[in-house]
Amino acid sequence: MSGKRALIRGTAILTITSFVTRFMGFFYRIFLGHTFGEENVGLYQLVFPVYALGISFSCAGTELALSRCVAQENAAGHPEKAKELLKTGLIFTFVLSCILTIFLQHNNAEASRGVYFCIALVNMCLYFGMHIIIKYYLLHVYRNKRANNQVFLVTTAERVEEVIADADHSGDWIHRLASIAIIDENQIGKWYHGVPVVATYDNMFQYVKEQIVDEVFISVPYETGDSLAEVVNRFEDMGATVHVTIEILNKFDDYHKTFNMLGNIPVVTFSNQSYDWKMLMIKRVMDIAGSIVGLVITAVVTVFLAPPLLIESPGPLFFAQKRVGKNGRFFKIYKFRSMYKDAEERKKELESQNEMNGLMFKMKDDPRITKVGKFIRKTSIDELPQFFNVLKGDMSLVGTRPPTVDEFKQYESHQKRRLSAKPGITGLWQVSGRNEITDFEDVVKLDVQYIDNWSLGLDIKIILKTIRVVFEKGGE
């Protein structure tokens, strides 16, 4: 949305909400008289119109802040918008209520807790009530005004119903679909959902020349842009803004799509998931903080673990192995050594006893594991040195299990998708009964489920579950 339109929208919202301010001033005049006495109303009534004005600005500010969501999303009542609205409303309620409380207490006003509760409640009711009123006005009144952007749709008889239905449910109040041109049939005079067909291909340019048309929306089948170049140029020559559907997008409904620039080249980007960089930054901060705490714990554990481990099985204290990380990156993973030194050489002899169906190796009572190794594996102590991997950035606190190089070389194409996220010390598979999972495809499904539904909340939930599993079941 342009800054000019945002300003117009904000002005309209503030004009409407100013009436609420006046109403609240009158309401609180009566309310304060009963609460503090008529002799004290003069001072305290001043704060409430300011308080009400704050509500008005918060409602208007929310509408402006969420305008991009309306313009970019194609579903009315998008859950992300509702979430942002609720969050903003609660924040403003809390802040303004705190300001009001401080003001009253500073002036030695004697008011019960019920007074503050009622003020906050009125705030919330008016906030969301005004939002509903403003939204209704914008979508059902303002949207139909001739001063709004008049859109001329160019499409085919087969597509017209679907295009209009999608446009009508977009929650967009800036544009008004005013007229239609059907290019493959002569349907002049026919109406679709209250919008008239006014032209065919032969006379659509003449119509745009003579009528009020701010923008042209072209939704027709095409194989290359060459066939549309002349049409777009002719509409642009008349000063109209032209929108053209990108046909290839219809074949990738299951993917997240964004428009980006690769150098100076405009591209459409397809991905299985898209994460907010701010959330990823917070995740990295959590990783760094968690890894520092984990390394302190690791240092303390090392003092007590090293003697018995090295006495039972002489050799290195730590085990380093080449693993595969995000999208095929190699890194060395670190653990406390829980097996005898020749464990990797003996693995081939035990392949026939693998309990996992697929590429992972898992064996109950593995003879390569030392006695101390069994204890530290059962309690997950052997994983502690991986906090160093997290600090380096090779791994995360929560992610997918990093495969060995041999496992990775045997992956099928769809299985590599589990590596599209940074591997982690713990993950959804580890807290979903890993001892009961015997099929590698089930591991892949859990990893993909984590990747597709990732959030900071999910990470925290998995971390808490991991702690519970370690203490309740000894890490198994």
Side-chain angles (χ1 to χ4, degrees):
M1 177 186 294
S2 67
K4 182 178 179 181
R5 288 176 183 165
L7 181 60
I8 294 173
R9 181 179 184 180
T11 303
I13 293 170
L14 288 176
T15 300
I16 296 172
T17 52
S18 65
F19 289 102
V20 178
T21 304
R22 294 177 180 273
F23 167 75
M24 289 184 68
F26 174 75
F27 169 77
Y28 282 119
R29 170 82 187 190
I30 300 174
F31 176 72
L32 288 169
H34 289 289
T35 304
F36 302 108
E38 288 293 338
E39 66 277 6
N40 296 319
V41 169
L43 174 63
Y44 298 118
Q45 69 176 339
L46 295 178
V47 74
F48 289 103
V50 176
Y51 180 68
L53 188 61
I55 298 174
S56 303
F57 272 101
S58 68
C59 187
T62 302
E63 284 295 323
L64 294 175
L66 299 178
S67 60
R68 287 186 179 181
C69 181
V70 177
Q72 293 175 356
E73 299 295 341
N74 292 324
H78 194 267
E80 289 300 320
K81 180 175 180 180
K83 187 188 299 183
E84 289 300 318
L85 174 64
L86 178 60
K87 182 171 69 174
T88 307
L90 291 175
I91 291 173
F92 269 100
T93 298
F94 176 76
V95 172
L96 292 175
S97 298
C98 287
I99 293 173
L100 181 61
T101 301
I102 293 171
F103 178 86
L104 293 177
Q105 290 182 349
H106 178 73
N107 290 277
N108 299 318
E110 296 182 1
S112 65
R113 294 177 182 176
V115 172
Y116 301 118
F117 174 77
C118 290
I119 292 172
L121 183 62
V122 170
N123 182 7
M124 288 297 295
C125 292
L126 285 173
Y127 184 88
F128 288 105
M130 286 305 301
H131 176 78
I132 294 172
I133 294 171
I134 292 169
K135 182 177 179 181
Y136 180 86
Y137 170 78
L138 292 175
L139 293 179
H140 298 279
V141 180
Y142 180 80
R143 184 185 187 186
N144 295 320
K145 292 181 178 293
R146 288 172 65 85
N148 213 338
N149 282 4
Q150 306 296 298
V151 179
F152 179 59
L153 172 63
V154 177
T155 187
T156 61
E158 181 182 1
R159 293 187 173 202
V160 61
E161 292 274 3
E162 181 180 357
V163 172
I164 294 178
D166 289 341
D168 189 54
H169 288 84
S170 65
D172 182 4
W173 54 269
I174 300 173
H175 303 90
R176 174 177 176 262
L177 185 57
S179 51
I180 306 171
I182 305 293
I183 63 172
D184 56 346
E185 291 182 15
N186 187 348
Q187 296 190 15
I188 296 177
K190 189 173 181 178
W191 291 67
Y192 288 95
H193 301 281
V195 183
V197 178
V198 297
T200 64
Y201 180 83
D202 296 330
N203 64 344
M204 64 181 184
F205 299 107
Q206 187 66 25
Y207 177 86
V208 172
K209 176 184 174 183
E210 298 174 352
Q211 302 298 324
I212 300 174
V213 175
D214 298 301
E215 301 181 24
V216 177
F217 175 31
I218 303 175
S219 178
V220 296
Y222 62 89
E223 294 183 359
T224 67
D226 295 338
S227 58
L228 289 177
E230 181 182 354
V231 174
V232 172
N233 288 335
R234 290 188 64 177
F235 282 131
E236 284 190 333
D237 285 342
M238 289 184 277
T241 300
V242 182
H243 308 278
V244 180
T245 56
I246 303 175
E247 292 296 295
I248 191 174
L249 297 183
N250 297 329
K251 301 177 182 179
F252 297 93
D253 290 338
D254 295 333
Y255 292 86
H256 181 83
K257 300 174 282 288
T258 55
F259 297 91
N260 298 297
M261 295 294 293
L262 192 61
N264 293 324
I265 306 172
V267 296
V268 180
T269 303
F270 302 94
S271 61
N272 295 113
Q273 71 286 323
S274 179
Y275 303 136
D276 186 345
W277 68 269
K278 296 187 290 296
M279 295 298 102
L280 292 176
M281 184 174 67
I282 295 174
K283 179 179 173 70
R284 180 57 186 153
V285 171
M286 289 172 55
D287 286 343
I288 294 173
S291 63
I292 292 173
V293 174
L295 287 174
V296 172
I297 297 173
T298 303
V300 175
V301 170
T302 302
V303 174
F304 298 96
L305 178 64
L309 192 152
L310 296 177
I311 290 173
E312 181 183 9
S313 174
L317 177 62
F318 297 100
F319 171 72
Q321 185 183 47
K322 192 175 183 180
R323 292 289 184 100
V324 184
K326 185 176 180 180
N327 291 326
R329 293 171 174 83
F330 295 111
F331 70 98
K332 276 192 174 182
I333 193 172
Y334 299 97
K335 295 185 177 184
F336 283 121
R337 184 169 58 87
S338 60
M339 293 184 174
Y340 292 102
K341 290 177 60 176
D342 60 348
E344 287 300 309
E345 290 75 14
R346 294 172 61 187
K347 180 179 178 181
K348 295 181 179 179
E349 303 172 5
L350 303 171
E351 289 286 356
S352 60
Q353 301 180 54
N354 186 8
E355 299 173 1
M356 287 289 292
N357 297 323
L359 305 179
M360 292 172 59
F361 181 84
K362 182 179 177 182
M363 177 182 173
K364 188 176 182 180
D365 298 325
D366 193 330
R368 301 174 300 161
I369 302 176
T370 64
K371 293 179 181 178
V372 175
K374 289 181 180 180
F375 170 75
I376 63 175
R377 281 195 167 201
K378 184 177 182 180
T379 56
S380 296
I381 292 175
D382 64 319
E383 309 280 353
L384 289 177
Q386 292 177 34
F387 283 114
F388 181 64
N389 291 114
V390 175
L391 185 62
K392 286 176 59 182
D394 295 327
M395 296 178 64
S396 177
L397 293 177
V398 183
T400 60
R401 173 191 171 274
T404 65
V405 176
D406 290 339
E407 292 172 355
F408 175 68
K409 288 180 178 179
Q410 301 177 62
Y411 270 16
E412 297 180 12
S413 298
H414 74 280
Q415 293 170 338
K416 188 186 177 184
R417 191 180 166 215
R418 67 183 296 270
L419 299 180
S420 59
K422 190 179 291 186
I425 295 179
T426 186
L428 196 58
W429 167 61
Q430 287 89 333
V431 298
S432 300
R434 64 182 182 182
N435 286 344
E436 286 75 38
I437 298 175
T438 59
D439 193 327
F440 180 65
E441 284 297 334
D442 292 333
V443 177
V444 174
K445 289 177 182 178
L446 286 172
D447 287 339
V448 170
Q449 180 183 336
Y450 168 77
I451 292 170
D452 289 343
N453 298 283
W454 175 81
S455 67
L456 292 176
L458 180 59
D459 274 4
I460 294 172
K461 184 178 179 180
I462 291 174
I463 290 173
L464 294 176
K465 278 190 174 183
T466 301
I467 295 173
R468 189 189 68 187
V469 168
V470 169
F471 284 99
E472 286 185 356
K473 301 181 180 180
E476 293 183 358

